[in-house]
Amino acid sequence: MGDGSEPRARVRVLFVDDEPQLLRAMRITLRAKGYDVRTAVDGGDALGEAAAHPPDIIVLDLGLPDLDGLDVIRGLRGWTRVPIIVLSGRTSGPEKIAALDAGADDYITKPFSVEELLARMRAVARRASTSDAGPAVDVGHYRVDLAARSVTAREDGVPPVHLTPTEWRLLEALVRDAGKLVSSRVLVSGVWGPTYSDDTSSLRLYINRLRRKLEPDPSRPRHLTTEPGMGYRFQP
């Protein structure tokens, strides 16, 4: 992505919203930034466009005239893993969590900053481009290899670290979706099972354990970050 301000390649974006003025403004703005932009005004149009012209990123409003945005996300997730950024005036925590649980990668509340949207788009594009790069990642002073289930120090003098099976499962769930906001419910269900989907206290406990073991400054985490009331994100 060069200096991080604009994409070098023509990244294909599908922007879905029923507000003509917003569509027109974003079409102009994104094309000026080097994106290849297509638009859709409702859910049916969005699904058709995504199938006919597969995008690299979808920016999707939840309040569409024909289909609920959550149904559009579920429809897309039936056949594609394309990054989806939800853009919505729905501000409640449960609404955001529902979108993430349905398969969205990120969530921005209207009114929004164009610069924030561009930053989120760059982030999901980076995540998509590196999703097959391998199971090894750097976390602070450590190199974590998920395939080998090993943590090795990247520098001399760094103490060794051992992760428990539960800590491994949680870290893997976050790393596999690096850069993506993963809801607490999805994490708990994936690590402990659906019966425990509402037990967020254990999740907080284990996140704190991982931070103490891996973060250079656990009180100010850089890699295992929290989105209050929503979930967690692994920042490579």
Side-chain angles (χ1 to χ4, degrees), residues 14 16 42-47 50 58 60-62 64 66-80 84 102:
L14 174 59
V16 187
D42 58 39
D45 193 17
L47 292 171
I58 295 176
L60 173 69
D61 182 29
L62 292 185
L64 300 173
D66 61 338
L67 297 173
D68 188 278
L70 296 179
D71 292 328
V72 177
I73 296 172
R74 296 185 187 104
L76 290 165
R77 283 293 174 251
W79 62 275
T80 180
I84 300 173

Side-chain angles (χ1 to χ4, degrees), residues 48 103 122 124 130 157 165 210:
R122 291 193 295 267
V124 297
T130 59
L210 286 173

Side-chain angles (χ1 to χ4, degrees), residues 36 78 159:
D36 181 1

Side-chain angles (χ1 to χ4, degrees), residues 66-231:
D66 61 338
L67 297 173
D68 188 278
L70 296 179
D71 292 328
V72 177
I73 296 172
R74 296 185 187 104
L76 290 165
R77 283 293 174 251
W79 62 275
T80 180
R81 298 305 303 167
V82 61
I84 300 173
I85 299 175
V86 165
L87 188 66
S88 178
R90 304 177 185 179
T91 60
S92 71
E95 293 279 7
K96 295 179 180 180
I97 292 170
L100 296 171
D101 287 349
D105 293 76
D106 216 331
Y107 195 110
I108 301 177
T109 302
K110 291 181 177 180
F112 64 96
S113 158
V114 172
E115 290 306 316
E116 180 185 6
L117 174 61
L118 290 170
R120 300 290 182 93
M121 290 171 61
R122 291 193 295 267
V124 297
R126 284 195 300 270
R127 172 179 166 259
S129 68
T130 59
S131 60
D132 297 323
V137 295
D138 292 335
V139 183
H141 301 300
Y142 297 95
R143 182 73 167 171
V144 178
D145 190 325
L146 297 181
R149 300 182 71 81
S150 66
V151 181
T152 55
R154 299 170 56 215
E155 305 164 5
D156 293 337
V158 176
V161 163
H162 170 74
L163 299 185
T164 67
T166 300
E167 289 167 349
W168 271 112
R169 290 195 299 271
L170 179 56
L171 182 62
E172 182 174 15
L174 288 165
V175 169
R176 294 297 183 195
D177 279 325
K180 176 180 177 179
L181 174 58
V182 185
S183 74
S184 298
R185 183 183 296 272
V186 166
L187 284 173
V188 173
S189 295
V191 175
W192 286 276
T195 304
Y196 301 92
S197 60
D198 294 325
D199 182 12
T200 57
S201 59
S202 294
L203 177 60
R204 287 193 298 271
L205 172 65
Y206 276 89
I207 287 288
N208 287 334
R209 286 184 180 179
L210 286 173
R211 286 171 175 163
R212 287 197 297 271
K213 290 184 177 183
L214 299 175
E215 291 277 5
D217 183 355
S219 64
R220 297 180 179 178
R222 294 174 49 200
H223 302 285
L224 301 168
T225 62
T226 303
E227 296 279 346
M230 296 176 65

Side-chain angles (χ1 to χ4, degrees), residues 37-61:
V37 185
R38 302 185 74 91
T39 60
V41 297
D42 58 39
D45 193 17
L47 292 171
E49 278 285 347
H53 308 281
D56 298 307
I57 301 171
I58 295 176
V59 181
L60 173 69
D61 182 29

